[in-house]
Amino acid sequence: GAGVSQSPSNKVTEKGKDVELRCDPISGHTALYWYRQRLGQGLEFLIYFQGNSAPDKSGLPSDRFSAERTGESVSTLTIQRTQQEDSAVYLCASTLQGMNTEAFFGQGTRLTVV
Amino acid sequence: RKEVEQDPGPFNVPEGATVAFNCTYSNSASQSFFWYRQDCRKEPKLLMSVYSSGNEDGRFTAQLNRASQYISLLIRDSKLSDSATYLCVVNEGYQKVTFGIGTKLQVIP
């Protein structure tokens, strides 16, 4: 497809389990972003990739969270030992190289930790 | 100080009203600015870019004030369909894009 694709769209997991969330950005987009959005709240920045490197990981809330990107394409966000407070929508966005760049979002992964 | 600050609202306005939102940013080297719209339980989508000279798209006007480091969004003749959260977005260069938490607008019949 032409847009940003995220999978799964919904994930229910038990507390303590690990989860992997996937993002396929638009082809050719070098920058990729992960955000978290809790119900009724704003976007919370997690991590930003430029190519395969992550110049800014400052938003990752704890060492249970990690992310990687390979081939300047797909990215995975991994949450280990999930907690109930991890329940949120995880949004991925990508942008073209350049200064005046529109960010295109995927539809998100809704994570519920029970 | 947060990099991008917005009043979360909610702003409750009657149909037909004019409403304005401001957003302040802390990095004076920021290069480009945008307003995004997010509908309930949907992903954010670009509403409009904000140019130095200001720009208008129908009922929507966006302006940039570099000296005071804020951008604004003006919505005239509000419609029920304008009800959404409006996100201020700042590109600080090197593709680092920072989103504000959003301002919630509710247009009331």
Side-chain angles (χ1 to χ4, degrees):
Chain A
V4 177
S5 176
Q6 290 188 247
S7 61
S9 54
N10 280 284
K11 176 73 177 178
V12 180
T13 190
E14 291 181 351
K15 179 180 171 182
K17 300 282 190 184
D18 297 352
V19 295
E20 267 192 9
L21 312 181
R22 178 186 169 108
C23 172
D24 283 280
I26 293 173
S27 178
H29 280 198
T30 59
L32 185 148
Y33 308 82
W34 283 99
Y35 292 90
R36 177 169 71 178
Q37 189 170 35
R38 294 194 169 104
L39 188 63
Q41 303 296 310
L43 289 176
E44 179 185 357
F45 168 77
L46 296 178
I47 187 169
Y48 147 62
F49 285 94
Q50 174 58 43
N52 292 336
S53 64
D56 190 347
K57 305 179 184 180
S58 61
L60 294 177
S62 76
D63 59 7
R64 296 187 296 106
F65 287 72
S66 63
E68 64 174 16
R69 188 180 184 195
T70 55
E72 295 198 355
S73 180
V74 65
S75 175
T76 54
L77 176 68
T78 301
I79 309 174
Q80 295 178 309
R81 305 181 302 281
T82 52
Q83 305 294 313
Q84 286 186 329
E85 64 261 27
D86 299 336
S87 297
V89 175
Y90 290 81
L91 288 162
C92 172
S94 70
T95 70
L96 268 172
Q97 188 170 9
M99 300 296 278
N100 287 305
T101 52
E102 176 181 355
F104 293 85
F105 281 83
Q107 293 193 320
T109 294
R110 185 174 300 278
L111 175 67
T112 304
V113 182
V114 298
Chain B
R1 181 184 174 186
K2 288 184 181 177
E3 294 164 315
V4 178
E5 293 204 54
Q6 293 184 255
D7 182 342
F11 284 57
N12 297 312
V13 302
E15 263 187 296
T18 296
V19 61
F21 312 130
N22 278 349
C23 164
T24 60
Y25 60 94
S26 60
N27 185 348
S28 59
S30 296
Q31 295 295 317
S32 53
F33 309 88
F34 309 87
W35 283 102
Y36 278 67
R37 169 185 171 139
Q38 186 175 26
D39 292 296
C40 188
R41 291 182 173 263
K42 298 285 188 182
E43 73 276 20
K45 291 186 178 177
L46 179 67
L47 176 66
M48 61 197 304
S49 301
V50 186
Y51 303 125
S52 297
S53 55
N55 52 306
E56 188 173 313
D57 183 3
R59 297 181 293 107
F60 297 81
T61 300
Q63 291 191 312
L64 167 64
N65 184 318
R66 284 195 182 272
S68 301
Q69 293 183 204
Y70 74 86
I71 67 172
S72 63
L73 178 67
L74 180 79
I75 306 174
R76 290 180 297 278
D77 187 23
S78 300
K79 312 291 185 190
L80 295 177
S81 57
D82 294 335
S83 298
T85 297
Y86 292 85
L87 303 168
C88 167
V89 182
V90 176
N91 187 327
E92 300 181 51
Y94 306 106
Q95 301 190 49
K96 182 178 179 185
V97 176
T98 303
F99 282 74
I101 63 168
T103 297
K104 186 171 182 179
L105 171 66
Q106 186 69 46
V107 181
I108 304 163

